[in-house]
Every structure is written in structure tokens, then in C-alpha cells.
Amino acid sequence: AQSVTQLDSHVSVSEGTPVLLRCNYSSSYSPSLFWYVQHPNKGLQLLLKYTSAATLVKGINGFEAEFKKSETSFHLTKPSAHMSDAAEYFCVVSDPSGTYKYIFGTGTRLKVLA
Amino acid sequence: DTAVSQTPKYLVTQMGNDKSIKCEQNLGHDTMYWYKQDSKKFLKIMFSYNNKELIINETVPNRFSPKSPDKAHLNLHINSLELGDSAVYFCASSQVRLAGLEQYFGPGTRLTVT
């Protein structure tokens, strides 16, 4: 069965410092992985996705993630945090067994300090 | 030009009532989904329709009944509402049912049952 684990429920960084949000996955197949962001009282917006092409994936707003099969990880990074990055971030794996449903991690709340 | 829209945005109702949430997508997508986000921000798939056919029906009480009148609409009807149904419900759509395709989310409907 597919699953994702987000290792930190809360992360705090200072504005202008790097961001690292950690995600590990479990999948019997070659996974499709996504990062979504949810700002307060908003819907979810796709940041980036990995679908077995390049292992380093660039997304919107300066975010990127690296797929590491040996570590079963898909960590999200950004070189310099901005106040507007404060939000909830979800790592997602797509179940390839036929339904392709999303399986969500439990989320990481990113706080950016001025 | 909202891609995935939901109505209403907020819904406050009493236990035992029946309510509906509507979802519409103007992206021309074939597949639509309903997710439930609980108070801890955890997101879980409830239902999915592909070309008006039910393809995912997770372990959801049968008080919840999705209806897809056409490819662009997926409504959620809830009978005999309970306190535990309080949550944010998200509708989403994807172009087709394939691994690696992103889902587009609506803004959510916050349901409060008193």
C-alpha cells in the first residue's frame, strides 16, 4: 500500500533563510509524488510534481523537490523563505493501482518569522 | 474564471438535517473527487467519478451520496447530519484518471454541524 509520512508537523524559519520540509513515501510501484500548499481558509494549490522524469523538480514560487529513490524521500526546499510562504504544505502520493487516488501526508505547517 | 467552484462556501446546520454541496469544474476534465479535511487538517478521499461513473467509494457512511449529473458537476448530499460530519469538504478534478496528473481543487466548503 502507498503512504506518505511528513516528518515535521510544524516548521519555523526566519524570513530569508532556507526552507526544508521533509517527506518520505512508501510505494510498491514507481510513484507519482506531489507537493501542494494550502494557505489559510483557501483551497490547495499544486507546487510541483514528480512523475519519473527528472529527479530534481522545480515548482512555482521558487520551490523545488528532489526525488531520492534510495532514501524513499521527496523533500521540499526553497533557498529563501518569504512571509507569504507561511501555509500548510502537503506531500501526496498517487495510488497507481488503478484508482490513482491521492494519498495525503498529515501536513507541515510552515511559519515564517520576520 | 474559477476552474473548480463549490457552493456554498460555508454551511452551518443542525444535527439531523439533510444538506447538499455543489461542485462544478469548467476545465473539461473527466474525473472529479470529493475529499474531507478534518479539524487536524488531514485530507482523505471520499469519492471519485470518472465520466459520471463512480470509481472510488471509500469507507464513507451511506448517509453520504455523491451525484454526478454530467462530467462537469459532482454534488455531495449528506443525510441525517451528525456532529462528526463537521469538516471542510473539497472538490477536485483531473483531466483523466492517470497517475501523475495533477488534481485541481476547489476553495472548499466548511460544514459546521451544531
Side-chain angles (χ1 to χ4, degrees):
Chain A
Q2 278 60 239
S3 67
V4 287
T5 301
Q6 291 184 245
L7 296 156
D8 306 295
S9 59
H10 293 84
V11 170
S12 290
V13 300
S14 296
E15 191 175 21
T17 65
V19 175
L20 170 64
L21 305 183
R22 299 183 294 165
C23 173
N24 284 97
Y25 70 90
S26 171
S27 177
S28 306
Y29 307 88
S30 181
S32 294
L33 294 158
F34 307 80
W35 276 99
Y36 278 81
V37 61
Q38 184 181 24
H39 287 95
N41 299 313
K42 299 287 187 185
L44 284 85
Q45 181 184 20
L46 179 70
L47 282 176
L48 48 81
K49 67 177 183 179
Y50 167 77
T51 55
S52 74
T55 56
L56 183 61
V57 182
K58 293 189 184 301
I60 62 171
N61 300 335
F63 284 95
E64 62 182 39
E66 186 170 9
F67 174 74
K68 291 187 177 180
K69 187 175 181 179
S70 60
E71 298 176 10
T72 61
S73 68
F74 189 57
H75 300 336
L76 181 70
T77 60
K78 182 173 181 177
S80 175
H82 192 272
M83 296 297 289
S84 60
D85 294 328
E88 191 88 23
Y89 290 78
F90 293 96
C91 184
V92 180
V93 65
S94 175
D95 179 357
S97 64
T99 64
Y100 306 114
K101 66 183 180 185
Y102 273 7
I103 297 164
F104 282 82
T106 48
T108 298
R109 174 72 59 88
L110 177 65
K111 189 173 180 180
V112 182
L113 307 170
Chain B
D1 288 352
T2 305
V4 182
S5 59
Q6 295 178 228
T7 53
K9 190 170 173 63
Y10 299 96
L11 185 52
V12 181
T13 189
Q14 291 184 328
M15 282 174 52
N17 285 348
D18 303 338
K19 290 294 179 185
S20 292
I21 306 172
K22 295 187 176 183
C23 177
E24 177 181 3
Q25 53 94 3
N26 62 8
L27 297 166
H29 287 171
D30 285 345
T31 308
M32 296 184 72
Y33 310 81
W34 276 112
Y35 291 88
K36 179 180 180 180
Q37 185 174 46
D38 63 22
S39 59
K40 296 185 177 179
K41 301 285 188 182
F42 184 62
L43 278 144
K44 194 169 190 300
I45 183 81
M46 298 174 69
F47 303 103
S48 177
Y49 271 74
N50 186 64
N51 278 324
K52 301 198 303 175
E53 178 188 354
L54 181 66
I55 55 170
I56 296 174
N57 185 352
E58 294 290 291
T59 49
V60 176
N62 58 16
R63 299 182 293 104
F64 290 78
S65 53
K67 284 189 172 52
S68 181
D70 55 57
K71 271 179 23 171
H73 296 84
L74 179 61
N75 304 323
L76 183 66
H77 189 75
I78 316 170
N79 290 327
S80 304
L81 278 154
E82 300 177 358
L83 292 176
D85 298 331
S86 296
V88 181
Y89 293 84
F90 285 100
C91 178
S93 72
S94 64
Q95 189 172 10
V96 291
R97 192 161 55 96
L98 273 179
L101 282 185
E102 60 262 38
Q103 296 180 19
Y104 295 78
F105 285 79
T109 296
R110 183 175 294 275
L111 171 65
T112 303
V113 182
T114 61

